[in-house]
Amino acid sequence: PTRGGGVRVDVGTVSIEECSITGNAASSGGGLAVIGGTVTVTDSDINDNSALSTATINGGGGGFYQSGGTLSLIDTAVYDNDAVRDGGGGYVNNGTFSANGSEFTTNYAQYNGGAMRLLGTSTLTGVYIAGNDADLAGGGGIYHTIGALSLVDSLVEANTAAANGGGVYQAVGSLSCSTTGSGTYGFLGNSAVIGGGVYTVSTATFSSSSCDFGTDASTNNAPTDVRQGSGNYNYGNNATFSCSGNSCI
């Protein structure tokens, strides 16, 4: 199929609970495609799905693909998915997307967004993003463009990118990392050629409120924690700062 190898939703309200969407393939959205409507996935697994599209725009999302409507992932694991192009775990091109208490691990994209490629405003709360890979380009964990991406009480760890942004590549819009209580949240042990933890272009912004960036060789991001425009920055744990243009303060 073109979109949605396992499940496709165009209209209506759909709840997927305690299910496994596994072993499917499609041009985009190997496991799940949300074209419209309202979809909630709870206590489920989305794994071992493939997106086969080679299109540079609107092509990808091994685990899931969204082009409209509302998609919410709650206590759901997205893992071992792959995309020939972008968004190994997922690709959000339009619509409202959120994840709460979910995990995105060991997903693979040949180009951008090992775990996810996100366009628009998204909120990720209590999310774990680890061990994902963008093999030829940027955003080992997430490649985000346009709108605001908010990471709340979330950990982006040990993701890799062949180019920029091992943890997150931020192209246009804003990225924020914040915590509401005790715990290990932030960017740890990610790696890329430039901006191991976060790579943000000069026209985008990034802010951290008490997030962790590592304190030793096993937890530091490589080669630097943050690349903002043309500036490189390193931080420890519990770091608060804001970045715009070519600098962070």
Side-chain angles (χ1 to χ4, degrees):
T2 302
R3 292 176 180 172
V7 178
R8 172 171 169 153
V9 178
D10 288 87
V11 296
T13 300
V14 176
S15 295
I16 300 172
E17 299 181 9
E18 298 183 354
C19 291
S20 292
I21 302 175
T22 183
N24 305 284
S27 179
S28 295
L32 166 68
V34 179
I35 312 304
T38 300
V39 179
T40 303
V41 183
T42 306
D43 293 324
S44 296
D45 292 335
I46 302 175
N47 65 287
D48 294 284
N49 302 286
S50 298
L52 308 178
S53 174
T54 59
T56 57
I57 299 176
N58 301 341
F64 63 89
Y65 173 86
Q66 182 182 7
S67 61
T70 299
L71 173 60
S72 301
L73 304 181
I74 302 171
D75 298 330
T76 288
V78 180
Y79 60 96
D80 292 346
N81 302 284
D82 61 82
V84 171
R85 185 71 200 185
D86 296 342
Y91 189 127
V92 176
N93 184 55
N94 200 358
T96 301
F97 172 75
S98 64
N100 194 307
S102 296
E103 297 185 352
F104 300 82
T105 58
T106 56
N107 299 285
Y108 168 88
Q110 189 167 357
Y111 287 89
N112 296 304
M116 290 180 283
R117 176 166 179 165
L118 303 176
L119 187 152
T121 296
S122 300
T123 300
L124 311 181
T125 304
V127 165
Y128 184 54
I129 300 171
N132 303 283
D133 180 35
D135 191 47
L136 297 177
I142 299 174
Y143 185 101
H144 176 250
T145 182
I146 304 177
L149 173 60
S150 300
L151 302 175
V152 182
D153 294 341
S154 295
L155 178 60
V156 181
E157 182 176 33
N159 302 282
T160 59
N164 304 329
V168 175
Y169 184 112
Q170 178 64 36
V172 186
S174 65
L175 168 67
S176 65
C177 176
S178 63
T179 67
T180 62
S182 61
T184 302
Y185 308 119
F187 299 84
L188 300 176
N190 301 285
S191 62
V193 174
I194 301 174
V198 175
Y199 178 92
T200 310
V201 302
S202 61
T203 54
T205 63
F206 172 47
S207 65
S208 170
S209 178
S210 302
C211 289
D212 295 336
F213 289 84
T215 57
D216 55 37
S218 65
T219 58
N220 287 336
N221 301 285
T224 60
D225 290 329
V226 178
R227 172 68 173 248
Q228 174 69 37
S230 59
N232 291 306
Y233 299 89
N234 285 307
Y235 299 93
N237 291 337
N238 195 33
T240 297
F241 58 89
S242 60
C243 305
S244 62
N246 294 307
S247 64
C248 297
I249 56 174

